[in-house]
Every structure is written in structure tokens, then in C-alpha cells.
């Protein structure tokens, strides 16, 4: 694609999913979670809701959801009362991979009806059982029936802009650096060339 089209594509798609969603899952006895910007509704039937999330194959959570067929989507709270707890969840779940050790121990949780952990400091959650999944080389888009849902706290949803400024430059720079390997893995899975990873 030419540079103008790439720029136009980035403009059109940026910000379409402004709500960070914390996803948890369980596979056997192992629990894990990650942060996504890909959570959303996946049905127009109000009495039988479905939800969707896209998880890259590079992430530890990907194969866990593929095997177990369960995932829980949480929205986080914004504003002075809930921002601190929400940032702690983002730092814990997006700061590193579950491959390198448990990430949920530092967070307040209880076990949901699917067995996946519920994050008690989230604003609310839906638990889902996978009904379908679409393999896209670099990621899988999962769709699931909502089997349980609850609002845990009052308040408005955290938006990624508020989170990104509050996380601070140091954290976001580190995140972007760590993310390069993930993007390269996605390139390779799509048959594209990996780029050199910066070391500064
Ligand atoms: C704002 C934000 C949005 C993200 N969106 C996604 C996403 O949609 N899908 C995904 O697989 N990872 C996404 N990530 C990256 C994962 O949260 C991150 O790679 C995490 O460490 C993966 O953990 P895991 O290896 O334990 O599964 C996002 C991270 C951030 C901070």
C-alpha cells in the first residue's frame, strides 16, 4: 500500500475502540489475563448477548482461551475514585507476559462461573463461553455467549487516552519497546518481513 493510503488507514481506524478491556481466562488450573482494545459486543439480540475479543497468537493468553473456551471481559473505571485501581490492573496485565510468571496474584480476584478469575477492582465484567473463533494468521478473533455479568462499582468507563497519560511516559515507552517483538511475530505469521528491533 502506498504511504498516503497507509496514513489514511491509520487515521480511519485510530480510536475506534477507545475502551481498554481487561481479559482473564483459565486453562486447567493456570489463570492469566491481558489488556486489549479489541473487546466489544457481537450480537444484536438483547436477551442473548455475545461478545468478541481479538488476541494475538504471540500472547500467552491466546492458546489458553483456544484450549479452555472461556474468557471474561472487564471494563475499568476512570476518574479520581477508580483510576488508581484501574492503572494497577493495566500495569499488572500488560506490563509483561504470563509466560514469565503469575500476573494475577497482585490483584483482588474471585473465581467466576466459568472458572476464570473476576477482577474485583474492575467496574464490571461479562463472562463468556466461546461459540466461534476466526483464525487470522497473526491473531484469533473469539466470539462467546455471555453466561454471567455484573456491575461491581459505580462510575464511568476508563478511556485509553486517560489511562495512557496517567500511566506515564516511562511505562508507556517500556510497553512500546516490549511490544515490538509482538508486532514482528505478527508480521512473520502474515508472511511479512520482520523489522530490526531497536535496542536504545
Ligand atoms: C492499550 C493496550 C491494548 C492492547 N490490545 C491488545 C489486543 O487487542 N490483543 C492482544 O492480544 N493484545 C493486546 N495488548 C497487548 C497485551 O495486553 C500484552 O501483550 C500482554 O502482556 C499479553 O499478556 P500474556 O502474554 O500474558 O497473554 C494490548 C495492550 C495495551 C496496553
Amino acid at each position: 500500500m502506498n504511504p498516503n493510503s497507509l496514513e489514511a488507514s491509520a487515521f480511519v481506524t485510530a480510536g475506534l475502540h477507545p475502551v481498554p478491556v481487561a481479559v482473564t481466562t483459565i486453562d486447567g488450573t493456570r489463570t492469566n489475563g491481558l489488556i486489549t482494545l479489541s473487546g466489544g459486543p457481537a450480537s444484536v439480540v438483547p436477551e442473548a448477548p455475545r461478545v468478541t475479543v481479538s488476541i494475538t497468537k504471540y500472547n500467552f493468553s491466546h492458546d489458553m482461551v483456544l484450549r479452555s473456551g472461556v474468557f471474561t471481559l472487564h471494563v475499568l473505571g476512570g476518574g479520581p475514585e477508580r483510576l488508581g485501581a484501574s492503572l494497577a490492573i493495566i500495569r499488572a496485565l500488560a506490563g509483561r507476559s504470563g509466560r514469565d510468571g503469575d500476573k494475577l496474584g497482585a490483584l483482588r480476584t474471585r473465581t467466576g462461573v466459568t472458572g476464570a478469575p473476576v477482577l474485583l477492582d474492575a467496574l464490571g465484567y461479562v463472562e463468556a463461553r466461546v461459540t466461534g473463533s476466526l483464525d487470522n494468521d497473526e491473531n484469533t478473533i473469539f466470539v462467546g455467549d455471555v453466561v454471567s455479568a455484573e456491575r461491581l462499582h459505580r462510575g464511568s468507563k476508563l478511556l485509553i487516552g486517560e489511562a495512557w497519560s496517567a500511566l506515564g511516559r516511562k511505562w508507556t515507552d517500556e510497553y512500546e519497546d516490549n511490544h515490538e517483538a509482538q508486532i514482528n511475530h505478527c508480521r512473520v505469521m502474515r508472511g511479512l518481513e520482520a523489522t530490526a528491533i531497536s535496542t536504545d
Side-chain angles (χ1 to χ4, degrees), residues 20 32-38 54-56 58-62 90 93-99 103 160 164 171 175 179 182:
N32 194 43
L34 80 167
I35 298 297
T36 76
L37 279 180
S38 55
S54 154
I55 305 181
T56 65
Y58 179 87
N59 287 331
F60 188 59
S61 308
H62 177 273
I90 294 175
L93 299 185
R96 66 193 177 93
S97 174
R99 208 176 285 116
K103 299 196 285 190
I160 192 60
W164 220 239
W171 193 90
Y175 170 76
H179 203 52
Q182 182 163 160

Side-chain angles (χ1 to χ4, degrees), residues 18-34:
V19 177
V21 171
V23 184
T24 56
T25 189
I26 183 165
D27 179 28
T29 56
R30 181 71 157 91
T31 58
N32 194 43
L34 80 167

Side-chain angles (χ1 to χ4, degrees), residues 137-198:
D137 305 325
E138 68 186 80
N139 61 26
T140 301
I141 297 173
F142 296 99
V143 174
D145 276 331
V146 173
V147 294
S148 148
E150 190 180 353
R151 288 178 72 165
L152 297 166
H153 302 279
R154 303 214 69 76
S156 56
K157 287 175 195 161
L158 176 69
L159 301 181
I160 192 60
E162 183 184 0
W164 220 239
S165 346
L167 283 162
R169 187 67 193 269
K170 188 173 175 295
W171 193 90
T172 52
D173 280 354
E174 254 175 50
Y175 170 76
E176 300 284 0
D177 287 350
N178 292 338
H179 203 52
E180 284 185 49
Q182 182 163 160
I183 296 170
N184 262 342
H185 183 263
C186 291
R187 287 191 177 103
V188 171
M189 300 296 275
R190 297 246 320 255
L192 303 169
E193 207 168 309
T195 62
I197 292 193
S198 58

Side-chain angles (χ1 to χ4, degrees), residues 76-112:
L76 309 176
E81 274 185 34
R82 303 237 50 91
L83 183 61
S86 301
L87 295 183
I89 291 172
I90 294 175
R91 288 196 174 100
L93 299 185
R96 66 193 177 93
S97 174
R99 208 176 285 116
D100 302 324
D102 172 60
K103 299 196 285 190
L104 289 164
L107 303 174
R108 294 194 319 122
T109 61
R110 72 168 145 72
T111 303

